[in-house]
Amino acid sequence: MVERRVSYLRLSVTDRCNLRCRYCMGPDGVPPRRHEDILTYEEILQVAAAAVPMGIDRFRVTGGEPLVRRGVVGLVERLVALEGVREVTMTSNGLLLPDLAVPLRAAGLSRVNLSLDSLRADVYRTLTRGGSLAAALAGLAAALKTGMSPVKLNVVLLKGMNDGEVEDFAALAATYALLVRFIELMPLGESHSWAGVRQVPEPVVLARLARRGRLTPMAGIPGNGPAAYYRWTPRRPVAGPELPGVSPAGDGTATLGLISALSRPFCHTCNRLRLTAEGKLHGCLAKEDGVDLREPLRGGAGPEELGKLVAMAIAHKPLVHDMDGGCGALRHMSRLGG
Ligand code: SAM
Ligand code: SF4
């Protein structure tokens, strides 16, 4: 265990979702939960306010799919207004952004990370169990049109499913002003038993990209967290799919990130905590049990007591994960706030 500078808290506002990505959820989604088991927005804001004096000044709203919880724009607005908060961002599958991107921007959301695992309609549909690529691209277009920058795309690569699209995503990043990050599949929850078969290791992705262009390591991407970034300059000009209403503002080269928890563990640089929708504060996706905040919150704990619990979670952050050690079967990203 180690004490370290932890400055970033992910807030899962729901573990429900309007998609069923095969590596994240089963076909029936998450087990239904009682309304009262989930933290209210008021309670989430109490935790956030207590975390600021502990050094946490950046918040990411996530889930499940955060946009399916009613009133999430108001939560963003109130998080932004908390004293000492530097940045509020969101991770989403983007499906509801055509209606919500402008209100979120107006509420003060700084940036959005969107999950999009395929640019082929049939593969997207299969991977998400029924999702519409056109709807996901409309969400991406809506985010780009608000001017939130940089928009980051998360792409979980799966061998034999979308790993042939690495260059297509690089072309998308070269065409528009966005970053693409290739994420190595983690053996958590739904994918615990089969992730090993589908994983695409980081060296394989880099080799693919190097065949089609020049890769130059980069430093200094804002909020770069665990990703290793590269500038990719294609040998021949490339073009991404058309996004209606979005001007192709890219300069023909792509900024690409790789997040590879297994090929290149980054635990020593990890600066984040995660609060589940049920009020458990976790220091690691793959390790110890969370610190329960719901009972203290409902028992009347004030900011000082909550702050102490946040400090406890920080102090218990492990130095290395144990994803290879079989610990992840019960740990779903949709619950932990990926
Ligand atoms: N629904 C939102 C979305 O998909 O962006 C937010 C929650 S989702 C759990 C957050 C991120 O976790 C997504 O980028 C998703 O692809 C990623 N994720 C889920 N399960 C994963 C796994 N087993 N390995 C790697 N990434 C995973
Ligand atoms: Fe939903 Fe995100 Fe999980 Fe896909 S990865 S099922 S969009 S929570």
Side-chain angles (χ1 to χ4, degrees), residues 70-94:
R70 215 177 314 146
V72 74
V73 176
L75 174 72
V76 168
E77 188 168 20
R78 292 176 71 191
L79 283 169
V80 170
L82 287 179
E83 200 176 327
V85 170
R86 200 152 59 91
E87 181 180 78
V88 178
T89 56
M90 181 175 278
T91 302
S92 166
N93 61 33

Side-chain angles (χ1 to χ4, degrees), residues 141-165:
L144 288 169
K145 280 192 261 184
T146 64
M148 282 188 273
S149 174
V151 171
K152 296 181 186 171
L153 273 197
N154 289 345
V155 183
V156 175
L157 289 175
L158 302 153
K159 197 185 290 173
M161 295 185 88
N162 63 354
D163 54 337
E165 297 184 55

Side-chain angles (χ1 to χ4, degrees), residues 5-8 50-58 84 271 310 314:
R5 168 96 174 97
V6 172
S7 57
Y8 180 36
V52 174
M54 300 296 116
I56 291 176
D57 56 7
R58 293 162 61 214
N271 63 351
V310 172
I314 293 173

Side-chain angles (χ1 to χ4, degrees), residues 164-245:
E165 297 184 55
V166 166
E167 297 88 342
D168 298 344
F169 277 106
L172 182 74
T175 308
Y176 297 99
L178 53 82
L179 305 185
V180 166
R181 304 177 325 158
F182 297 112
I183 299 178
E184 205 170 73
L185 181 65
M186 291 184 268
L188 298 175
E190 211 49 42
S191 47
H192 181 253
S193 58
W194 54 268
V197 184
R198 291 282 184 190
Q199 259 152 15
V200 186
E202 182 169 305
V204 173
V205 184
L206 290 174
R208 269 198 94 105
L209 290 164
R211 278 202 289 277
R212 296 283 193 85
R214 194 176 71 245
L215 278 170
T216 318
M218 296 172 73
I221 303 286
N224 67 351
Y229 278 99
Y230 293 82
R231 167 75 59 193
W232 181 73
T233 312
R235 292 193 211 295
R236 295 196 191 85
V238 290
E242 196 179 326
L243 296 177

Side-chain angles (χ1 to χ4, degrees), residues 16-21 23-25 63-65 93 115 128 334:
R16 296 182 183 204
C17 189
N18 46 1
L19 290 179
R20 299 279 183 271
C21 302
Y23 55 78
C24 180
M25 283 192 190
E65 173 49 42
N93 61 33
S115 303
T128 58
S334 58

Side-chain angles (χ1 to χ4, degrees), residues 6 8-12 47 56 60 62-63 91 186 188 226 259 266 270-293 310 313-314 317 323 331-338:
V6 172
Y8 180 36
L9 174 57
R10 293 185 174 219
L11 303 166
S12 174
V47 174
I56 291 176
R60 175 170 295 278
T62 182
T91 302
M186 291 184 268
L188 298 175
I259 301 179
F266 40 76
C270 176
N271 63 351
R272 60 199 55 183
L273 294 180
R274 294 175 154 87
L275 179 70
T276 68
E278 291 168 296
K280 285 259 171 82
L281 194 57
H282 288 265
C284 176
L285 274 176
K287 252 194 150 68
E288 97 287 27
D289 286 337
V291 176
D292 178 46
L293 299 187
V310 172
I314 293 173
K317 258 180 88 66
M323 276 188 218
R331 306 182 67 79
H332 288 72
M333 286 286 267
S334 58
R335 295 192 64 195
L336 290 164

